[in-house]
Structure formats: C-alpha cells, structure tokens
Amino acid sequence: MDANTLRRAFTAFFEERGHTSVDSASLIPHHPSAPLFTNSGMMQFVPYFLGEESAPWPRATSIQKCVRLSGKHNDLGELGRTRRHLTFFEMLGNWSFGDYFKEDAIGWAWALLTEHVGFDGDRLWVTVHVDDDEAEAIWHEGVGLPLERIQRLDKENFWEMGPTGPCGPDSEIHFDCGSEWGEEGGPAGGGDDRYIEFWNLVFMSYFRHTDGTLTDLPRHNIDTGGGLERWLMLLQGVPTVFDTDAVRPLIEVAESLSGTTYGADDRSDVALRVVADHARSMAFLVGDGVVPSNEDRGYVVRSVIRRAVTRGQQLGVDRPFLGALVRRTIELLGGAYPELTSGADVVVDTIEREEHRFRQTLATGSALLDVELARGAVAGEVAFKLHDTYGFPIEVTEEMAAERGVAVDRAGFDAAMATQRARGKESRRGGEADLPVEVYRRLAERAGATEFTGREEHETKARVLEVVQAGDGHLEIFLDRTPFYAESGGQVGDTGTITTDTGRAEVLDTTYALPGLHRHVARVVEGEILEGQEAVATIDDERRQAIRRNHTGTHLLHWALRQVLGDHVKQQGSLVGPDYLRFDFSHHGPLTAEELAEVERLANGRILDNEPVRAYQTTMEHARHVARRVMSFDSERQVMHFLREETRKIIPEAF
Ligand code: GLY
C-alpha cells in the first residue's frame, strides 16, 4: 500500500461513515491557545472543541500536514536515530464534535485497520488511560481484543495539544514488529522499536488552563491522530519511516548528490535521514509563508535549512543542493497538497537564497568551530560569534559539538546574547516602529495565503483585507483572492485595476510581500479603497498574454541553444516582461556569429510553428481545470460524474 492509496482508503472509510473530508490547514495555526506550529490534525478544530464556534459538520476527517519542531511536541532530538520520528509528517485523523464517542471511535479504528488496510489484528496491542475502564471494556468486550494485549498507562495516555488547550485521556494503538525488534512486554514495558505506536484515539473532554487546572469542555469529542508514514512503514514491512515511498525518494536524491550509500554507515545514515526529513519540513513551512529570519517561526525554519546544509557538508556536499531536494519534495507531495505546487518557485527560491547566504560564511565558521572541537570545549563567546557573525544557529553548533562528544558553554552563550539584546534595546530607545514585515506576518497568520485565481480568470471578486501606506506614497493592497500573478521566478508581476464601491486603484506591480501573500502595489486614481470592502480585481489581460508569449519564448530559446551548443546548456535565470525577455544560460565561451544565427533560426522556426504550443497550452489548462474541480468534490460519486461529463466533451464517441 503506497502513500496515495492509504490517503484515499482512510478518507473513503470515514466519508462512508458520515464524515466530511476537510483540507489540511496551514502549518501556522490561528487559535490564541495554539502553539507555534500545527503539530496535529485537531488544531484547526480547536474553536469547535471549546464551543467558541459551532462546528459546520458533526464529524470530519482530514490528512493534516504537521511539524514537531518546537514546544511540547518536538521530535528533533530523536530525528534520524529512531525508526519512527520525523519533524514533518502527515497526520490521518477523524473527529467527532459532540457526536459519536468512544464506542464508535474504537470500533471503527479496529474495522479500518483489520478489514480495510490489512493490519494483522493478532499483532495489535492497545494502551488506555489508567482510569479508563470504559475504553478497556470496549476494546475487550466490543472488539474482542484479549485483556493481555490491553495495558493501562497514566500520563502517557493523556494527550494535550500544548501547555494549554483541549486535552483528554487517550487510547493508543500499537503494532508488534516481532522479537527481532526488541524485548517483549507490550507497549508499556517492551521495546520502543518493537511496539510501534501508530494511532492515537483521544477522548477530548477537558481544557487545560494556564494555571494548570482542568475544566470540562462543553461536549465530549473525538480526536484521532495517526502518523501516515508510520502506517506505511508497518504496512510496507520496511525498517524505518525513511524507507517508505513517502520519504525514500528524498534519501535517494541525497545519496546521489553526496555520493554516499544509505545503509553503509550509521553516521552518514543519520545525516541522510535528517536531510530528507528537513527538505520536507522546510518546503512545507516556507510554502505556508514562514520566511527564514532570526525570530519565532522564521528562526525555526532558518535552523532547519542551516542544519540541513551542515548535515550535507558532513556528507561531503560542498555546493548548493537544497533546491534539488525541495523540488523532489514538491513532486512527491504536491499532488496531495496542491498549495505546495502553486507556490513552488517562491519556496525553492527562498530556500536557495537562505542556503546561499549561509554558505558564504559556512567554511570560515566551520574552521572556527573545528578549532574549538579539537580543544575539547566550545566557549560561550565562540558559540555567540558563530551565531552572530557566521549565522550558525546555536542548536546547530550544539548538535555538531555533540556529534564529537564536546560540550558547548550554553550559559556563556546565553549571557552574550542577553548583552547584545540589551545593547539593541538601548539604541532603539523610544520603541520600535511597526515594521511592515510585522504587518505582513500578522496578515498571513490571520488570513493565510492569497488564493490565486489568475489561471482561470482575469477578473475576480475579492475582499480587501488590508491597505498599507507604503513609504513612497503608493498603497499596498492585500486581497483574499486575486487574479494578479506576483513577480517570481524571473517573471514580472501583473498590472491592472482594483475597484470598490468607493474608488478605483491602478495596480502598478504585484509582488510577494511574504511567500504566498500577494501585494498589489497601487495608486488610487478615484475615491478611496477601504479595508473590508468587496472589490473587483482585474488584470491587464493583453499585457499578461504578452508576458506569456515571452515566457514561452524562453523555453524555445533554451531548446534552440541546446540544439546548437549541446545539452550542457542550462538555464541560469531569466527575466520575462511583456515587451522583452532575458535568458541567462551556462556555456563555456561566447557564441560565434554563426551559432547565434542558427539559434535564432531554430527558435524563430518554432515560434512560427506555434500551433503545437497553443494546443499544448490548451491541454494543460484543461488538465488544471479538471484537477481543481476533482479536488473540490466531497464524494467519489461526484468525481465520477464530473469525469464522465468531461470525457464526453472530449471523446463523444466513447459514449
Ligand atoms: N491529537 C492526537 C495526536 O496528535 O496524537
């Protein structure tokens, strides 16, 4: 069973039992009680558990992208050293918002596992909370699980989202991988690698307050969480989550970039696993709008990228390599998470830039660290210098030191940081202005990424989310959805107009304020544009068509250059506007006049012969339309009906 089949089987099972399939939410959670990142599938449903909002459906199912890189749920320490930990993973889940409770949750879990996806029921064990007689009785009397394979634990069977938030007793389902994986004794006393916990059924009943006390939630809920990659590991009978079809292709990219072989050596295996895991974490985090920086989420993603670079260096990779890994990640997971594909260029570009920035100081920083490592101790001020001058996150320094069994003077580092902060505060006396980036970040957290409609339409009804006065007298307008393409990957942004009941603005350029957040740089030409208003956003279509033609031109030029000069010619960059294009490529010398003429002849020949290009574009547009519609349906029946109708349009003779 591969990842796609499992995703489909899980969703279908719960849909057939009255659950609404809900898309994965952003990795940046919204609720005030939520931690820094979405660490489980339940997070987008917190307002329903707390009774702050009424749930639109009594039952739901989802496959949620999750990261466990900070706070209560942080798997970084285990990463690469165990069979089962990842810092990015997909969580399978089903929810009841005051609807069904323990009996159905347990009964369905058992049926799905043993009758639908192929788990051997004789190898399953469960744990329940020490006080939960009811759950034990359902497992034993309802499902028929022998009492010897039901164990009771205390805090291990009480799940909490974070230091505060919804929580409750749970029941965890484990698979016995057999004696070659460790001591017997069940999940409570046996080996961790032998009894693999892979699905947690939480009976969500309480709220944990900041002072530690618990109060009852308005209703009893179900929240389940299953790690997709762990299920795959067990179902595919492979040793680790890194050997499943969800992760292994990334290990392969890392192997080929580094010339190492997975399985040959413990130390390089850990590095290969970290690199593969981190490619997934960074792609999804940046895809959800987290920009590498020195604070909060930005710092976490910066550390992830820099750790991947140092691990790559440990594997002997001394040139930029994250772009290739992230592109492969997007290929693997973009089908299940289309937002990753639509933001692909920005994601890759952001990560490559961060890698580039770090590489400029990596060699000097590493040399400095090596001196300390040889000395047997890393002094606090050296760790600080590595952080401040060479961009080594303290976690990366600590990890590299730990590899060699050397300690870092963390207290000395913290003291140096505190001194620097105090100096910074002093020089900013009078308080810091509200930097625009903070405004963007808050907006991204509040409203998520801008929905891009520009592939289907040139005009879109939207809502004005925020209007920011830019320093140069222009306005920056932010909408919930937009047909305006934002400048990226060397293609200029769209221009056009934004109109509301009270005014009209001319959009002069569109760029990303943060990844995924479209910023319309505009000038008001009539009245005013106000936050909260309905708007009509219209692009200059003729200009867009011209840009598209030039974009196609870069492909033709690339092709012609390779025909004339050879396959080593690689695109290095390009700049595509409505009335010009620039194409950068790698070749060992200047082109002769004859070569240039030949390139021109070939490329022009292709342009004249543009019928296939048009046909190709039409087909791609149609394919995109179909894919988008299919993603929007709730049931397989609707999908089948739609596909039949579409097929009828294209091949009427098939009916
Ligand atoms: N919310 C259930 C889990 O993460 O295990």
Side-chain angles (χ1 to χ4, degrees), residues 40 42 68 91 159 200 202 223 225:
S40 54
M42 52 74 75
R68 293 198 167 175
M91 186 177 275
W159 194 85
N200 187 10
V202 185
D223 154 32

Side-chain angles (χ1 to χ4, degrees), residues 180-203:
E180 67 272 32
W181 285 103
E183 291 297 308
E184 59 181 37
D192 283 349
D193 278 343
R194 170 165 177 173
Y195 299 95
I196 297 287
E197 187 263 305
F198 68 100
W199 199 0
N200 187 10
L201 317 181
V202 185
F203 312 124

